[in-house]
């Protein structure tokens, strides 16, 4: 079956512009996560959605970052007024249940470059 | 808060055994996961320890000791394709908190 997909694969934007990143999780997975990874670094948790529960937004670095998940499936991560420090690979993951026994399935990521 | 420490780099020879250690500080967690990431690729799940002890999955094994705040990933019969970054991650009820990763280089 299809894995997690993300679009676009690459995004170059100018400082101050808004960007939207999209994630399509694996069908049937109730939990969806966003992480970001700077060059040579580990993954930094941003936000996760579990079913109809309120999302855990504890990892969002500032109020310029927001995310939504429509219909329990597709998710969009929005970054407003982008800054150069926002440049990173943004990874989406999904799991069958919350926690998923520690197993999350990752998409290929969106590489964001802010000029 | 929570933090995880791993060696930044490890080098080993093809066919050998290598152990990647992970020490952590946390107020609570459900388990410890391990992920592999090749250059430019997505992280892929390797192993998970919810309980203390050893979990074996083919050539990969993972160990957890909660009393020592310590875990490790053991890779046996190393192959060139095992050259990648390896991350330990604390499972905190959904979200994963990752270490900075260990870059493993396998030499012929």
């Amino acid at each position: 079956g299809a894995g997690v997909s993300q679009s676009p694969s690459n995004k170059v934007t100018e400082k101050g512009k808004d960007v939207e990143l999209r994630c399509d999780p694996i069908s049937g997975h109730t939990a969806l996560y966003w992480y970001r990874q700077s060059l040579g670094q580990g993954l930094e948790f941003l936000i996760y959605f579990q079913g109809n529960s309120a999302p855990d937004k504890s990892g969002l670095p500032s109020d310029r970052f927001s995310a939504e998940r429509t219909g329990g499936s597709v998710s969009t991560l929005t970054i407003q007024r982008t800054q150069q420090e926002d440049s990173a690979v943004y990874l989406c993951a999904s799991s069958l249940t919350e926690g998923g026994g520690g197993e999350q399935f990752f998409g290929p990521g969106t590489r964001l470059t802010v000029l | 808060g929570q933090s995880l420490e791993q060696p930044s780099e490890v080098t080993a020879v093809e066919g050998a055994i290598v152990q990647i250690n992970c020490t952590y500080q946390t107020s609570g967690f459900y388990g410890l996961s391990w992920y592999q990431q090749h250059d430019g690729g997505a992280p892929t799940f390797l192993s998970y320890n919810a309980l203390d002890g050893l979990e074996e999955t083919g050539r990969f094994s993972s160990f957890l000791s909660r009393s020592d705040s310590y875990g490790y990933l053991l890779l046996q019969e190393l192959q060139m394709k095992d050259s990648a970054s390896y991350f330990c991650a604390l499972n905190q009820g959904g979200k994963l908190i990752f270490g900075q990763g260990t870059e493993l280089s396998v030499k012929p």
Side-chain angles (χ1 to χ4, degrees):
Chain A
V4 177
S5 61
Q6 294 185 244
S7 61
S9 55
N10 280 283
K11 176 71 177 178
V12 180
T13 190
E14 293 180 348
K15 177 182 173 181
K17 302 283 190 183
D18 297 351
V19 295
E20 284 190 353
L21 313 180
R22 176 188 168 104
C23 172
D24 282 272
I26 293 172
S27 177
H29 280 194
T30 62
L32 184 148
Y33 316 82
W34 284 97
Y35 299 87
R36 72 176 175 181
Q37 185 175 30
S38 300
L39 189 64
Q41 300 296 309
L43 284 73
E44 176 189 5
F45 166 76
L46 297 177
I47 185 171
Y48 95 88
F49 300 86
Q50 170 57 37
N52 295 320
S53 302
D56 179 343
K57 304 179 182 180
S58 60
L60 294 179
S62 78
D63 58 9
R64 296 187 295 105
F65 288 73
S66 62
E68 62 177 20
R69 187 179 186 190
T70 54
S73 181
V74 172
S75 176
T76 302
L77 177 69
T78 301
I79 308 173
Q80 296 179 308
R81 305 181 302 282
T82 52
Q83 303 294 312
Q84 289 184 331
E85 61 262 29
D86 299 335
S87 296
V89 176
Y90 288 81
L91 291 156
C92 174
S94 69
S95 65
L96 193 57
T97 60
E98 177 178 319
E103 180 173 13
Q104 297 179 8
F105 296 83
F106 283 82
T110 294
R111 182 175 298 278
L112 174 66
T113 303
V114 182
L115 301 177
Chain B
Q2 50 271 321
S3 65
L4 300 95
E5 288 194 16
Q6 312 176 225
S8 58
E9 297 178 346
V10 171
T11 301
V13 177
E14 195 174 13
I17 299 173
V18 71
Q19 178 173 312
I20 298 174
N21 297 322
C22 174
T23 57
Y24 58 84
Q25 290 186 322
T26 181
S27 56
F29 70 110
Y30 289 90
L32 187 71
S33 299
W34 287 91
Y35 283 78
Q36 179 191 61
Q37 186 179 33
H38 286 98
D39 270 351
T44 55
F45 172 80
L46 292 177
S47 190
Y48 179 65
N49 293 76
L51 304 174
D52 281 8
L54 193 67
E55 290 287 336
E56 298 180 83
T57 310
R59 294 189 298 115
F60 297 164
S61 303
S62 60
F63 173 83
L64 175 65
S65 169
R66 289 174 182 266
S67 60
D68 295 322
S69 298
Y70 164 74
Y72 67 71
L73 179 70
L74 191 73
L75 297 84
Q76 303 183 70
E77 301 171 16
L78 280 175
Q79 303 175 9
M80 298 298 291
K81 67 178 182 179
D82 296 330
S83 292
S85 292
Y86 293 83
F87 297 89
C88 57
L90 294 171
N91 180 349
Q92 297 199 318
K95 65 188 181 187
L96 294 175
I97 306 301
F98 284 83
Q100 293 299 296
T102 298
E103 186 174 350
L104 172 64
S105 297
V106 180
K107 307 294 186 185

